[in-house]
Amino acid sequence: MKKHHTLLLLAFAVISIVSCKEENNDGDWPPMKWEHSIPNFENNKIKADANGGVFILKNINYPAFYITNILDCDSLVYYFNPYEVDKPTFEYRGNWFSINKSNDTLKIEIQPKNNDVNRSLTINIEFLDAFNRLYIEQ
């Protein structure tokens, strides 16, 4: 009986050592990195002036992504449809903006504004277990 206990402890020790290899655990995925020519792009924030503009971002460390939701001035205007996960393109037109996605590239067009009211746009993005949020204010 003592021999069985010794073998059981030895097997447990081997399993413990073998199972301690380093892996990407959930939530440990590297953050998305963007290639762009947007001035003052910090912490995933874009400041658009009153004239609006076109902003193009290319994800450089993941082959694709999908947009999980869009908020226009903190109001949800788009929510992800799971049947669209494999679509390489995406297009959404809001009242003052449009978003086009093609594979790993995102194009955001902001229309000029004709008043002093501030507006904001939040785009939540995901690829597997990597998440990102882009925030645009005008």
Side-chain angles (χ1 to χ4, degrees):
M1 185 72 157
K2 191 173 186 177
K3 192 175 195 179
H4 292 292
H5 282 35
T6 304
L7 286 175
L8 186 61
L9 286 174
L10 183 60
F12 180 72
V14 170
I15 290 171
S16 297
I17 292 170
V18 171
S19 67
C20 289
K21 63 181 184 178
E22 200 168 312
E23 296 178 0
N24 270 352
N25 294 322
D26 287 345
D28 288 344
W29 291 73
M32 292 183 179
K33 295 178 184 171
W34 300 98
E35 183 178 88
H36 59 83
S37 61
I38 303 168
N40 301 320
F41 181 80
E42 293 179 25
N43 299 323
N44 292 341
K45 292 183 181 177
I46 299 170
K47 292 187 180 189
D49 61 25
N51 296 323
V54 176
F55 306 98
I56 299 173
L57 299 104
K58 179 179 172 68
N59 189 283
I60 57 174
N61 63 332
Y62 292 104
F65 58 85
Y66 54 94
I67 295 173
T68 56
N69 62 52
I70 300 170
L71 291 94
D72 179 350
C73 299
D74 295 327
S75 294
L76 185 66
V77 294
Y78 168 80
Y79 190 75
F80 172 68
N81 180 348
Y83 295 108
E84 296 177 349
V85 72
D86 293 329
K87 283 178 61 176
T89 61
F90 170 86
E91 184 174 332
Y92 184 87
R93 293 196 182 281
N95 292 329
W96 56 277
F97 65 90
S98 66
I99 299 170
N100 290 286
K101 175 217 165 264
S102 180
N103 295 318
D104 60 355
T105 303
L106 187 65
K107 178 182 174 184
I108 306 164
E109 185 172 352
I110 306 297
Q111 299 299 318
K113 67 177 186 172
N114 51 10
N115 58 36
D116 291 335
V117 177
N118 292 332
R119 47 193 188 185
S120 64
L121 176 65
T122 305
I123 306 167
N124 289 300
I125 298 168
E126 181 178 343
F127 179 74
L128 299 176
D129 281 344
F131 302 91
N132 203 232
R133 173 175 289 155
L134 298 172
Y135 184 74
I136 298 98
E137 55 184 37
Q138 182 186 38

